[in-house]
Amino acid sequence: MPNQIMIFLLDTVLGLFSLALLLRFYVQWSRIPYYHPVTRFLVTVTDFVVRPARRVIPSWRGLDLSTFVLAWLAQFIVLVGINLLAGSGASVSVFAFSLLALVKLAVMTLDILFIMIIVQAVMSWINPHSPLAPVLESFTGPILEPLRRFIPPIANLDLSPLVALILLQVLMMVVENLQRQIVHMF
């Protein structure tokens, strides 16, 4: 029972922190303005660990690698911690945990995109001029714009989010299969 509680707390706290770091990475990559409340929240929550990490891990081509590496490290710690607390007895290599942490970040990225596309579609019907609309457009634009070129609106209804959600589901299946293969390989 105490191990289950510790696993839950470890997964929840570090999982949410990893999500915040990953979102911060994508916010910076999407060039969402610093003054936006979403950006301010993510910077405030993660700045205590990102600032020192930037001294060690440099940016690369405008990407804040320190934030991404910290998100990966948080997922790595979650996986190792759960394995130790579960007492599975299976000796899994550090390389396997490293790969699994990357796969977890890929799953989180796909989940983020999936949720943002749904929220953006709903908000376009309810309140298209919401302050959150530009943030969602910055995130989903690189995915939806190429689809919009090939899928014209039907009766003034944009079907590109539906196609994007289907493609994201297929990618999620591929990534989950990759995750299973990594687990069975090691």
Side-chain angles (χ1 to χ4, degrees), residues 18 68 71-79 94-108 179 182:
S18 177
F68 185 80
W72 169 83
L73 184 61
Q75 281 301 313
F76 181 83
I77 292 169
V78 167
L79 291 170
V94 172
F95 182 69
F97 281 128
S98 300
L99 285 177
L100 285 173
L102 277 176
V103 170
K104 286 285 190 182
L105 289 180
V107 168
M108 287 173 70
Q179 184 176 0
I182 291 171

Side-chain angles (χ1 to χ4, degrees), residues 14 43 47 73-75 79 84 106 126 138 146 155 159 175 177:
L14 279 181
V43 167
D47 219 27
L73 184 61
Q75 281 301 313
L79 291 170
L84 290 174
I126 297 171
S138 294
L159 296 178
V175 170
N177 186 35

Side-chain angles (χ1 to χ4, degrees), residues 41-104:
F41 171 77
L42 292 171
V43 167
T44 303
V45 169
T46 59
D47 219 27
F48 76 96
V49 71
V50 171
R51 280 190 187 266
R54 281 187 179 154
R55 291 186 211 131
V56 180
I57 305 166
S59 295
W60 179 72
R61 294 188 179 191
L63 295 176
D64 185 14
L65 289 183
S66 60
T67 307
F68 185 80
V69 168
L70 288 170
W72 169 83
L73 184 61
Q75 281 301 313
F76 181 83
I77 292 169
V78 167
L79 291 170
V80 171
I82 289 174
N83 190 44
L84 290 174
L85 289 169
S88 63
S91 63
V92 181
S93 70
V94 172
F95 182 69
F97 281 128
S98 300
L99 285 177
L100 285 173
L102 277 176
V103 170
K104 286 285 190 182

Side-chain angles (χ1 to χ4, degrees), residues 111-132:
D111 287 340
I112 289 168
L113 286 170
F114 194 85
I115 291 168
M116 287 191 173
I117 288 172
I118 290 174
V119 170
Q120 182 183 14
V122 170
M123 284 185 63
S124 71
W125 298 330
I126 297 171
N127 186 6
H129 304 293
S130 166
L132 194 56

